[in-house]
Amino acid sequence: MKSVELNRIENIKELAKQNYHGVVELRRYFHIHPELSKKEFNTQKKIIQILENLEELEIRKAGGTGVIADLKGKNPGRTIAIRADMDALAINDECGRPYQSQNKGACHACGHDGHIAMLLGVIKILYDTRDSISGNIRFIFQPSEEEVADGSGAAAIIKDGGLEGVDAIIGAHLWQPVRSGIVGISAGPMMAASDEFEITIEGKAGHASMPQQTVDSILTASEVVVALNTIVGRDVDPMKQAVVSVGVFNSGSVYNAIAGKAILKGTIRTLDEEVRRQVFIHIKKIVEHISEMTGAHCNIKKNTCTYVVDNDPEVTAIVLKAGKEMIDGKAHPINPFMSSEDFSYYLQKIPGCFIFVGVGNREKGIIYPQHHPKYDIDENAMLYGMEVISNAVLKLLE
């Protein structure tokens, strides 16, 4: 390894250590004060207050409640973006830590508090090395990753010019399924496309004692739910991956009446566009055939939420090399996940790489999965994350 690279690596490690405790404090601040999608006003304000202390940053609001900051290097060159999401989930925090959420009904149960803090740490590292940078770095604090059905935060950032002039983008997720100390970096499809569906079954209501005069919407919808669970096992190529899940079943309000209407809502997760298309065709076929058989009427709606997070091979190779330089043996490829991420919106426009920073640590009691009320992270992971991201950006600028 060249002496220049060794100096850069040692410098990043030293700056990461210097900023680590401040990053932990910020992460806990954001955990105490979580805000839901499209309502991240105080989070936005706090981020801007911190960034304004760095005089050479160009800061602006974007995507409604998001923030974009640009850092220009000493010499001209490429532009690389780094993205962190900001929003919390609409659940009550039960982590039981001193930094438990003080906002009832809002909880950073997916690690976005750590994403914000980690990116603020990366900004400090890169800001302090700006005189040796050739090119520009764009820092994106993105709102509304969790609630994409009403408008993705990534789409809002793109609409506000967040990717203009950007050559590549990287993002990171603090991820409980991966052990703390490990950073997963893989090329190709890494997270699933996500589609929401809503099925309305219109039957014929009536008295529970006279079912022959009715068309039972609950019975019809129940048969639909059971049949939908055969799609992945029988209609999808077993070498492909897909998930079909029904999360909502609403029908009826009186115990002695047969309901005339039932509503089902759920998601489709796929890692392949052709499988994605085929799954919805099978859903439609099942619903229509069962409804015809029972005499009910049906209506099916689909809403595209995210695309496949498909990491660019060339960018990923550079990021993986950067990771191995920082934490040799602990940065390596991992298998994809069926969760979804609107980081995929950026990858539809420009090449990029999304990495997974492990935060699972059974010894510390960090065992609860993403979106669980008791979710927490091993905060040491943010140190690894800052190191790998900072080095990856500098290597991508070369």
Side-chain angles (χ1 to χ4, degrees):
M1 191 177 291
K2 296 177 183 178
S3 60
V4 174
E5 291 178 331
L6 286 170
N7 289 338
R8 183 186 69 226
I9 291 167
E10 291 305 314
N11 190 36
I12 290 172
K13 284 182 175 291
E14 181 59 33
L15 288 170
K17 287 177 183 176
Q18 289 176 16
N19 287 287
Y20 172 67
H21 291 295
V23 167
V24 170
E25 289 179 7
L26 284 170
R27 181 258 163 171
R28 294 181 180 185
Y29 171 86
F30 291 120
H31 198 94
I32 292 170
H33 306 287
E35 294 179 297
L36 302 180
S37 300
K38 300 180 178 64
K39 298 178 181 178
E40 307 95 332
F41 299 106
N42 290 326
T43 304
Q44 180 189 56
K45 183 179 179 181
K46 179 70 172 179
I47 291 168
I48 291 173
Q49 284 176 345
I50 295 167
L51 296 181
E52 283 178 338
N53 293 321
L54 307 177
E55 295 179 356
E56 294 184 34
L57 286 181
E58 297 177 5
I59 307 163
R60 64 185 175 94
K61 295 179 180 179
T65 48
V67 180
I68 290 177
D70 287 310
L71 174 63
K72 292 185 177 180
K74 187 175 181 180
N75 301 307
R78 307 176 74 211
T79 298
I80 305 300
I82 317 169
R83 172 271 209 169
D85 39 12
M86 306 158 56
D87 54 332
L89 288 155
I91 59 178
N92 287 317
D93 191 354
E94 299 175 10
C95 75
R97 310 282 185 176
Y99 46 82
Q100 184 166 306
S101 169
Q102 294 178 2
N103 295 347
K104 188 175 181 181
C107 172
H108 270 300
C110 201
H112 297 189
D113 50 344
H115 298 171
I116 303 167
M118 197 160 60
L119 182 52
L120 288 169
V122 169
I123 291 173
K124 277 286 293 170
I125 292 169
L126 296 176
Y127 185 85
D128 287 343
T129 60
R130 63 192 181 280
D131 288 342
S132 63
I133 292 174
S134 295
N136 309 305
I137 307 169
R138 176 162 296 166
F139 308 103
I140 299 172
F141 295 88
Q142 179 209 301
S144 192
E145 186 275 329
E146 297 290 357
E147 292 292 335
V148 298
D150 296 327
S152 157
I157 290 290
I158 293 169
K159 185 178 179 182
D160 279 357
L163 295 185
E164 288 181 8
V166 176
D167 295 290
I169 186 168
I170 60 176
H173 209 308
L174 297 171
W175 203 241
Q176 184 275 333
V178 177
R179 184 168 52 85
S180 180
I182 301 296
V183 179
I185 307 170
S186 299
M190 281 309 300
M191 298 186 82
S194 174
D195 298 304
E196 291 183 359
F197 62 83
E198 180 176 326
I199 301 166
T200 303
I201 305 291
E202 295 276 2
K204 183 181 178 183
H207 199 286
S209 67
M210 294 176 277
Q212 75 279 8
Q213 295 181 1
T214 71
V215 175
D216 191 336
S217 65
I218 292 180
L219 179 60
T220 302
S222 297
E223 292 182 11
V224 167
V225 172
V226 172
L228 290 181
N229 281 278
T230 67
I231 292 174
V232 173
R234 288 294 177 266
D235 296 317
V236 173
D237 183 340
M239 300 303 292
K240 304 285 187 178
Q241 289 178 284
V243 176
V244 178
S245 298
V246 176
V248 174
F249 190 143
N250 288 331
S251 185
S253 58
V254 180
Y255 80 97
N256 61 352
I258 290 175
K261 184 177 181 179
I263 295 175
L264 305 173
K265 295 181 181 180
T267 66
I268 307 165
R269 309 291 176 113
T270 53
L271 288 168
D272 181 280
E273 284 299 323
E274 179 57 24
V275 172
R276 185 182 198 177
R277 189 181 70 84
Q278 286 294 328
V279 167
F280 189 71
I281 289 173
H282 288 300
I283 289 175
K284 192 169 183 291
K285 187 191 304 181
I286 286 169
V287 175
E288 289 175 348
H289 286 184
I290 291 177
S291 296
E292 182 180 2
M293 182 178 67
T294 62
H297 297 284
C298 64
N299 182 52
I300 310 165
K301 297 178 183 177
K302 185 182 81 163
N303 181 40
T304 298
C305 297
T306 65
Y307 305 96
V308 175
V309 173
D310 194 355
N311 284 344
D312 179 81
E314 291 185 14
V315 173
T316 302
I318 295 169
V319 175
L320 179 58
K321 186 177 179 182
K324 288 180 175 179
E325 287 177 354
M326 301 309 299
I327 49 172
D328 186 32
K330 295 183 179 180
H332 53 71
I334 57 173
N335 293 325
F337 302 95
M338 295 308 288
S339 305
S340 61
E341 243 281 355
D342 76 349
F343 188 80
S344 58
Y345 280 71
Y346 303 120
L347 298 181
Q348 292 285 304
K349 303 291 184 181
I350 59 173
C353 178
F354 195 65
I355 69 174
F356 298 86
V357 181
V359 297
N361 191 326
R362 186 163 291 276
E363 289 74 21
K364 292 184 178 181
I366 311 298
I367 58 175
Y368 296 100
Q370 247 85 5
H371 293 212
H372 191 285
K374 293 184 179 181
Y375 175 82
D376 202 1
I377 68 169
D378 181 351
E379 292 174 326
N380 288 336
M382 294 190 293
L383 179 64
Y384 307 127
M386 286 191 291
E387 291 175 349
V388 172
I389 293 168
S390 298
N391 195 33
V393 169
L394 294 178
K395 290 186 77 69
L396 287 166
L397 284 171
E398 291 176 354

